[in-house]
Every structure is written in structure tokens, then in C-alpha cells.
Amino acid sequence: MRTAIVWFRRDLRLADNPALRLAASLADAVVPVYIHAPEEEGAGAPGGASRWWLHHSLRSLATDLQRIGSPLTILRGPTLNSLQRLIDQTGSTAIYWNRVYEPAFIERDAKLKSHFREQGLEVQSGNASLLFEPWEVATGSGTPYRVFTPYWRQCQTRLGSVPKAAAPPKKLASPPNLPSGVALDDLALLPTRSWGDGLAAAFQVGEKAAHQALDRFVEDAIADYDTRRDFAAEPGTSRLSAHLHFGEISPRQAVEVAQSAALHPQRSGASLGIETFIKEIVWREFAHHLLFHYPQTVSEPLDVRFNALPWQVDDAGLKAWCRGLTGIPIVDAGMRQLYQTGWMHNRVRMIVASLLCKNLGIHWREGAAWFHDTLVDADLAANTFGWQWAAGCGADAAPYYRIFNPTLQAERFDPKRLYIRQWLPELAALPDAYIHQPVTAPLSVLRAAGVTLGKNYPSPVVDLKATRDRALAAYAHMRAASSNAPA
Ligand SMILES: Cc1cc2nc3c(=O)[nH]c(=O)nc-3n(C[C@H](O)[C@H](O)[C@H](O)COP(=O)(O)OP(=O)(O)OC[C@H]3O[C@@H](n4cnc5c(N)ncnc54)[C@H](O)[C@@H]3O)c2cc1C
């Protein structure tokens, strides 16, 4: 009897899973395993909110695997030892997994591959998480892209060659001698009850929930995605990011379903919305492309001139930012949405990141670390890319002189003040004219709305104009210093 191990990592689904499909087609018996080894995952090891998601995703995967006849075994790392024991216990002759393109995974997985191949095992890895391998898309001279638009153009020409998403296996057989492994609860992935409750109220986890989220988005929002996706209070985006990160759904599936929406007679005018959505999926690809080719960007700026920028050490400012107590309503609303639900609207992510890096002058790494711990979709590639973009030091970065004015952004992207009122109830009674900038309201207006600045809502922790000027001066200095530097 030929037995194969399928090692699940960021591919927590049955459908369109190349490793599982290979095992189902080549082996008589399959051993699905998840190995908890965060110490081997480097900067991509899950933070608090991601651990919550992981717990529920593993539970969902275990149920789905059980249903088709092959229970999930959960083990603890070190991975090498756990896989070795599992091979010995089950008599497996093959191991299949899907690639994770983060630096720590690449290094560890390469070692495991050669180790087990040297033992005579068949070891194969597949691509479950990207449309294109990061090395497949390259400039004419064979170098990686650093600018999105030409990358996108090339991806567009390749979309037709992306393999069709594959169906899930209907039935799997287990070997007779399966080890029992550890219980999911023993991994202690869940946070304190109150935090977990907020995340649970915001998200359903698992492969089925991922498809429901995609179907809902295609039904209700994709047609207007190009025009509505920036409005913070609207349910105008897919909220697929955590499902994609944990591989509960593949980008191939997301793109296929989005493309098929164009065929629906009621969505005949949806082509721009569909194309914009696919472009966002390709932004995700671009982030992975960059992390693969520039792994140092997890901690270092892609644009090395930014090493000379004088970052501020401001513990009080950082704490106020993390807690949503900066006194700048759109920023505080975003940071509260993040903490209470594990997710923040993309437009608001850009606004809060700009305030941290440019007005508070705090290093983007601090913001990235807080996001990594509190986002359910925390993803090393997308988070690193997003933060370097906001700080102006990455690929396709917002130019150094683009410093978001949070009040103008709020006026534009929360015109009905719904987002602010939802996340900052203490300001809800303020009239529209002042709610984005309560510091400009007359005392009588504040009093009538029950707002006392400095007491139940903070005064702004930064002077936006003065800190904007400081940031511009620092960037100008950095640019001048780098153009004078010896070649
Ligand atoms: C500072 C900062 C940090 C970020 N950190 C993360 C992160 O850790 N994980 C993460 O998945 N996204 C991150 N993003 C990107 C983006 O904000 C989220 O992907 C998006 O808000 C998720 O919501 P959605 O699924 O409804 O997105 P939709 O608008 O429905 O987009 C569809 C999918 O496209 C991908 N996508 C969209 N925008 C981007 C982008 N700018 N970069 C990469 N992928 C994108 C996501 O997978 C998303 O699920 C960050 C952005 C910024 C500015």
C-alpha cells in the first residue's frame, strides 16, 4: 500500500489544493497533517489575531477532512522530527506540500526537501497560493519588477494561462496506524475571550465561509467595486484577505468566480468592477513577488536612501496610535475597527500608516508589528509592502511628498460620517461639520454633544501642519544627502 503525507500550511482547504490532489491521485492512503512550529516561521509566524483565525480554520479543515474519510493529525514542531516520526509510524513513502514564499519557509522547506529525498522519499511541492510563481513574471531583461503597472500588464497577458481551479477529492483513505497527535485546543491559539468574541462577530472562518464571502461580494458589490471600494463605511470590498492568507480559497478560484460574474446578464455593466478586483488580487501577487526577490524588505527599506531618515522614538505617540486615541477621528476610528474586528478598511490602513510614519515620524516597522499582531489577515508580504508604500520607501511607493491630510481623506471617503459614528461613539452626537475635526468645534457645540476634549476624547497628539513640514524637510535632506553621496 502506498501512503502519502499531505503537510498543510497556508492551504487550509480541500478544493484546488495541488498537494492534496496529488496525494489523492497517486496514493492508496493519505495522512493529512498540520505541524505547529511558529518558531520556524520567522517574521511570518502568526500574531494574536491570526492565531485566532488559525484555530478556527484548522477546526474547519479537520471537519472537512473527516467527512471525506481522512482525519487531520495535528503535531508540534520541530517539523523535521515530527515528519520523521509520522513517516516511521505510517510507513509513508511520499510527502506533498504547497509552497509558502516567505524567507523562513523557503529556507526550512529546502532543507526538509533534501533531507527526505536523501532518504529515498518522494517529496513534491506545488503552488496553491499564487496565480504565478514569483520567478515566472520578469522584466524583458529577466529582473524582478519594482513597479506595479508593467507588472500588472504582463500578468494580464498571462491570466489566460492560469490553470483552472481543481475540484476537491471526494473520498480519501487513511492508513490503519494513524498516530493520535495533539488536540487543537492544546495549541492554545485562542486569545482572551473578549478579544476573540469581537473577531468572531466580524468573521466566519473556513473554506465554506470563504466561498460564501466571495459569492456575497460577487452578488452584491463587485459591479460597483471600482467606485465604492474606497468608501470606509461601505461593504464595498470582498473581505477575502484572511481567507486568502490562510489558503481557505485560492486566488485562482477568486479570479475564476469574478470572471464568471461578467457572464451574468444582471452584471453586464460590471466589467470595470471585475477588472479592478482582479487587479487587487494581482497587487497581492506583486507583494509576494517583491518579498520573494527582496526578502530583506521585511526589516529594511527597498529604497536604501531611507536608512538615513531620522525616525522618532515616541512611545506615547505609538501607544496613542495603537489604542485609537490620537485625537484624529479617522485614524482613531480605523485603529478601533482594527482592534475590535481584526480588520481595517484599505483606505483607512493607508491613512493611519501615513499618520504614523509621516506625522508622528515613527518607524514603519513599529506600525507593521502592531498590524501583524492585530490583523486577522496579517501577511508578511502584503503587510511589508503596504507599510513600505505608506512610508514612501518601497516599490511603487507613494512619493515622499504625498502626506495624507487625514481630515481631507475623511471628508472624501467618509462623506456621510457613518464610519466615524460607528467606531467613535463618543463623538456620534457632534454635527457633521465638526465630527472629522472636533478640535475646531466651538465649546458650546462640544458641550451639547457631550464631548470634552482631553477627557472623553483626546486633543490631537500631533500638529498636522508642523509635522508635515518636518517630514518634508527630513525627506528633502535625505534626498540631498543621497545625491551628494560618493558614487
Ligand atoms: C499599511 C498596510 C498594511 C496592509 N497589510 C496587509 C496584510 O497584512 N494582509 C493583507 O492581506 N493585506 C494588507 N494590506 C492590503 C489591503 O489593505 C488588504 O488586503 C485589504 O484591505 C483586505 O480587504 P479585502 O479582502 O476586503 O480587500 P479587497 O479590496 O476585496 O481586495 C481583494 C484582495 O486583494 C488583495 N489586496 C487588495 N489590496 C491589496 C494591497 N494593497 N496589497 C496586497 N494585497 C491586496 C487582498 O488579498 C484582498 O483580499 C495592507 C495595506 C496597507 C496600506
Side-chain angles (χ1 to χ4, degrees):
M1 183 165 91
R2 192 178 141 86
T3 302
I5 292 171
V6 177
W7 175 23
F8 282 89
R9 299 112 60 83
R10 301 264 182 80
D11 51 348
L12 305 180
R13 64 176 185 268
L14 303 190
D16 197 32
N17 184 323
L20 183 62
R21 203 171 143 76
L22 199 62
S25 64
L26 296 181
D28 306 300
V30 177
V31 184
V33 64
Y34 178 81
I35 303 172
H36 187 57
E39 60 287 350
E40 297 174 13
E41 295 175 6
S50 298
R51 285 196 293 273
W52 173 87
W53 191 290
L54 178 62
H55 175 95
H56 293 289
S57 197
L58 285 172
R59 197 168 64 186
S60 166
L61 177 71
T63 307
D64 292 345
L65 281 165
Q66 185 78 48
R67 189 170 34 79
I68 60 166
S70 193
L72 178 68
T73 300
I74 296 178
L75 301 173
R76 288 182 199 279
T79 302
L80 177 72
N81 302 352
S82 294
L83 280 176
Q84 189 66 67
R85 264 198 309 276
L86 195 60
I87 291 162
D88 298 342
Q89 285 161 332
T90 58
S92 296
T93 53
I95 314 178
Y96 305 129
W97 67 73
N98 294 309
R99 289 186 279 281
V100 175
Y101 302 88
E102 293 176 7
F105 279 77
I106 293 173
E107 193 185 332
R108 178 196 61 186
D109 296 353
K111 285 186 192 146
L112 291 174
K113 212 176 237 182
S114 17
H115 175 86
F116 289 117
R117 278 187 179 157
E118 274 162 25
Q119 286 187 18
L121 269 89
E122 185 203 338
V123 187
Q124 287 200 54
S125 61
N127 171 11
S129 61
L130 295 176
L131 298 171
F132 312 106
E133 298 288 9
W135 52 87
E136 260 173 27
V137 184
T139 64
S141 52
T143 55
Y145 281 101
R146 289 172 71 122
V147 177
F148 179 72
T149 305
Y151 176 85
W152 160 238
R153 273 198 222 106
Q154 193 183 133
C155 289
Q156 268 181 308
T157 65
R158 289 168 172 263
L159 277 172
S161 64
V162 173
K164 288 264 160 289
K170 288 198 171 71
K171 192 104 199 84
L172 295 175
S174 271
N177 40 359
L178 262 190
S180 53
V182 296
L184 176 58
D185 286 339
D186 291 345
L187 300 183
L189 294 168
L190 293 178
T192 59
R193 193 175 159 73
S194 57
W195 195 33
D197 286 352
L199 308 182
F203 287 101
Q204 302 276 311
V205 180
E207 184 171 2
K208 186 166 162 226
H211 286 275
Q212 285 168 344
L214 177 60
D215 292 346
R216 217 171 23 241
F217 169 68
V218 167
E219 184 87 0
D220 300 340
I222 202 167
D224 301 319
Y225 179 73
D226 51 316
T227 52
R228 290 176 64 199
R229 59 182 290 271
D230 267 323
F231 291 97
E234 294 204 24
T237 69
S238 70
R239 294 174 66 108
L240 275 180
S241 46
H243 298 294
L244 283 164
H245 171 77
F246 285 98
E248 296 169 354
I249 193 166
S250 72
R252 289 187 285 259
Q253 292 171 307
V255 167
E256 253 175 48
V257 172
Q259 283 171 332
S260 69
L263 307 173
H264 196 286
Q266 277 174 357
R267 293 191 199 92
S268 53
S271 57
L272 201 52
I274 294 167
E275 182 177 308
T276 310
F277 175 69
I278 294 172
K279 198 170 184 180
E280 291 306 313
I281 298 287
V282 173
W283 273 107
R284 176 179 177 273
E285 297 279 317
F286 186 49
H288 283 268
H289 175 84
L290 289 169
L291 181 64
F292 178 80
H293 290 289
Y294 306 103
Q296 78 280 10
T297 53
V298 169
S299 55
E300 298 300 318
L302 184 65
D303 181 341
V304 291
R305 290 174 309 164
F306 278 72
N307 277 322
L309 210 61
W311 298 104
Q312 310 290 316
V313 177
D314 176 2
D315 291 345
L318 180 60
K319 200 165 162 191
W321 180 83
C322 291
R323 293 185 171 184
L325 290 172
T326 65
I328 297 161
I330 188 71
V331 172
D332 294 340
M335 297 308 289
R336 306 240 193 127
Q337 180 182 34
L338 171 61
Y339 197 72
Q340 287 173 39
T341 69
W343 185 86
M344 192 197 299
H345 189 278
N346 178 59
R347 169 59 51 177
V348 191
R349 291 187 203 203
M350 294 195 277
I351 299 169
V352 304
S354 172
L355 186 98
L356 186 84
C357 304
K358 295 185 170 165
N359 297 102
L360 285 164
I362 295 174
H363 203 296
W364 60 268
R365 280 197 302 253
E366 301 279 1
W370 181 253
F371 267 33
H372 188 79
D373 201 30
T374 53
L375 278 171
V376 287
D377 65 28
D379 180 272
L380 193 61
N383 201 33
T384 303
F385 173 72
W387 278 97
Q388 293 221 11
W389 183 91
C393 60
D396 237 345
Y400 73 95
Y401 51 80
R402 185 188 298 156
I403 298 177
F404 282 156
N405 177 320
T407 312
L408 295 182
Q409 290 283 315
E411 293 282 349
R412 194 160 161 212
F413 297 112
D414 185 28
K416 295 183 187 155
R417 279 66 174 161
L418 296 172
Y419 188 74
I420 296 290
R421 290 202 166 93
Q422 180 178 3
W423 297 108
L424 299 181
E426 66 269 44
L427 299 185
L430 273 177
D432 282 6
Y434 300 110
I435 196 166
H436 284 321
Q437 219 179 353
V439 72
T440 60
L443 265 182
S444 57
V445 173
L446 289 171
R447 210 173 298 126
V451 178
T452 311
L453 292 180
K455 280 222 162 111
N456 65 347
Y457 187 70
S459 300
V461 295
V462 279
D463 175 331
L464 292 174
K465 162 107 183 52
T467 50
R468 179 175 195 279
D469 292 345
R470 180 187 67 187
L472 288 176
Y475 289 126
H477 187 263
M478 176 196 85
R479 282 160 61 87
S482 65
S483 61
N484 292 337

